[in-house]
Amino acid sequence: MPVANSLVVVGAGQAAAQLVASLSQDGYAGEVTLIGDEPHLPYQRPPLSKKVLTGELTPDRLSVKPAAFYDKIGTRLRLDARVERIDRATKEVTLSDGSRIGFTTLVLATGSRARTLPLQGTGRTATFVLRSIADVAALRAQFAPGKALVVIGGGYIGLELAAVAVKQELEVTVLEQAPRVMARGVGPVVSRFYERLHHEEGVRLCMGSVVHGVEDGCVVCAGSEHRADLVLIGAGAVPNAELARESGLATENGIVVDAECRTSDPVIYAIGDCATQHHPLVGRRLRLESVHNALEQARIASASICGKPAPAAQVPWFWSDQYDVKLQMAGLSDGYDQAVVRGDPDRGRSFAVFYLRDGVLIAVDAVNRLPEFMMSKQLIAGRARIDPARLGDESIAVKDLKG
Amino acid sequence: MATITFEEPDGTLRKVDLAGGQSIMEGAVRASVAGIDADCGGACSCATCMVYVADEWCDRLPPKDAAETQMLEFCPHVQENSRLTCQIPVTDALDGLRVKVPPSQH
Ligand SMILES: Cc1cc2nc3c(=O)[nH]c(=O)nc-3n(C[C@H](O)[C@H](O)[C@H](O)COP(=O)(O)OP(=O)(O)OC[C@H]3O[C@@H](n4cnc5c(N)ncnc54)[C@H](O)[C@@H]3O)c2cc1C
Ligand code: FES
């Protein structure tokens, strides 16, 4: 007798939601169960540090799909339930209540979690991270004009939070260990711009600050102290890869997957923030934390599971909103040998930086430059060779850059 | 509230009642209209919530702002009557609107 197909997804975030939608489109024949440890339908995280924090958007509007959608496509939802163990020999997962669910295919979409720091004696000073609806609710409850907020880490989440907080009249200090902000994501020209931007808006930025600890009412660094009523730790994210590692799957700063998002066990896939994959654009393995990556890997895994041809690869992209400034990044600037600036990063709030390697456009950071961003996505996909002088020449319209 | 008709990529006509206080994109996603990808969730960053608006409605919608115009200029499959649904709030005035979802948003 043939064994019926049953697919289990662990983690109910944005990658998982896209996966079940794609499986339905791709005609997966079998039972699908989605298990997530948060008490919410899969939701979008980007607004948490943006419009949810400002209050413009309520958390109930973040769901990727309504409950009825999962019903319609026949996906069983097990929310507020955590998978504790994968047994690869018996092809079962064990939940925290002890129940077991069998699978023929397993997809790990466990995401990542905010990195915490071993800070001593947090005392009366409230310390937060920003990753989930629960986190943002806790944080918002503490927001009040005049309070001193110290953000540890000048990455994009910390800076988005700083932007919202300073607009709500908190006194905001950002402590960054590196010599520049958002160093992992953008080039130095763009970092300088964001430092100026936050300075103009009234945020205090301290580069090269190594935090030693949090004491009652202040954050202590080597050589300085910063008054703090609340502290946000914005120190990046770590992949939720323990479940995979404990079951013997290959992990290395994430769950190692092949081009089809298969782990070292061919019936187990991993997608989204928790997965690390060889990237053809940079020629090495990397783990991306972005909505686009979560959606794309979900579509790739679904195609593989359903025996369909892989969808055409897209150029990775990301965005960040701070004040009235929209940053959009496309491509991966790894190993660029030339950066071309279009517009003036030292004045105003609109310019773009193009990154080239061997004369080929590989990435763009576009600051309030939608045309440059959209055009670059096409040019990067086509591995276009463009004369750098033309890229930097504002008298040439963006749409003519291709020619 | 407005009743909006979406022609899905496979030709299916979906008549959907959308409440105010949200964008057309949000309403369409909640109603599981096929082909509205909305990858960026309404941040006007992805242009994957595009539709073609029925001719008689083009002039009756609120005008595009600069961001929407710029995104559309570089959007695949764009036409004269294209709009980004995340940029249009649902109002009573949209009752009867008809739009067509493109075959692909990529
Ligand atoms: C504040 C914030 C702002 C962001 N802004 C942007 C942005 O502007 N643009 C952008 O592109 N990206 C942004 N991101 C990143 C983006 O949200 C992530 O890349 C995306 O959510 C990844 O989706 P995922 O499904 O892989 O993981 P997640 O969304 O993290 O979902 C994983 C889920 O699995 C659950 N889980 C983990 N282990 C288990 C288990 N054992 N059992 C059951 N459930 C489990 C987790 O609790 C979680 O709910 C932002 C992220 C944050 C936190
Ligand atoms: S949802 Fe991304 S531009 Fe409309």
Side-chain angles (χ1 to χ4, degrees), chain A residues 44 61 64 66 326 374 378, chain B residues 26 29-30 32 41 43 73-74:
Chain A
Q44 310 172 55
R61 284 176 67 185
V64 179
K326 179 178 289 298
M374 290 296 279
Q378 297 173 20
Chain B
E26 281 182 273
V29 167
R30 277 191 201 156
S32 306
E73 195 182 344
F74 296 93

Side-chain angles (χ1 to χ4, degrees), chain A residues 363-401:
Chain A
V364 69
D365 292 335
V367 173
N368 280 341
R369 289 282 178 126
L370 280 62
E372 278 82 348
F373 167 70
M374 290 296 279
M375 187 71 199
S376 297
K377 274 217 272 191
Q378 297 173 20
L379 294 173
I380 295 165
R383 307 206 173 186
R385 252 170 215 291
I386 315 170
D387 177 1
R390 284 172 61 84
L391 285 175
D393 183 351
E394 293 243 60
S395 71
I396 300 171
V398 175
K399 62 177 187 307
D400 297 331
L401 285 175

